[in-house]
Structure formats: structure tokens, C-alpha cells
Amino acid sequence: MEDLSLLRDADLARRLQTLSQELEELEEEKGYVLRQTGLHVSGGMVKKYESQTIILTESIVELKAEIDRRKQ
């Protein structure tokens, strides 16, 4: 990820909101796809969902840490 200290507060908040929405949408999609009873989901697709979830979650944690650091 890029150097978050270079971003303005508003940009951090906007990016945090965007990533949170993306994570929520990904979780909804993953839940929908994986609950389909007649649909075979490949292991690659499951790993793709997992890696995307991890990447988004880590990015959100980094953004929150930077926002908290600036509040101190």
C-alpha cells in the first residue's frame, strides 16, 4: 500500500468508506455464491474470495491505524 501519511484526512476517510463497502459487497457475493446448492464452486474461486477478503481487511486496518495515529 502507498504511504498513507501523504494523504489528507478527507482522502483517508473516503478510502476507508470505499474499502469497507467493497468488503461488504464481497462478503455478500461470497455468501451468495457459496450457498448455491446446485452450483459447483472451484477451490480457486474460494481462494480468490479469501485472498480478496484478506487484502481488503488489511488495507482497512492500515487506514484505521493511520486515522487513529493522526487523532493522537
Side-chain angles (χ1 to χ4, degrees), residues 20-31:
S20 296
Q21 288 174 347
E22 286 179 17
L23 181 59
E24 184 178 321
E25 290 171 6
L26 179 65
E27 291 294 334
E28 287 177 20
E29 177 184 332
K30 179 173 72 172

Side-chain angles (χ1 to χ4, degrees), residues 1 3-19 62-70:
M1 188 172 228
D3 187 3
L4 297 177
S5 64
L6 301 176
L7 296 175
R8 298 179 311 172
D9 291 348
D11 293 333
L12 285 174
R14 190 175 320 110
R15 186 170 292 183
L16 178 60
Q17 181 180 2
T18 300
L19 291 178
E62 289 177 17
L63 285 167
K64 286 181 177 180
E66 178 64 21
I67 290 169
D68 288 344
R69 185 191 68 76
R70 291 183 185 196

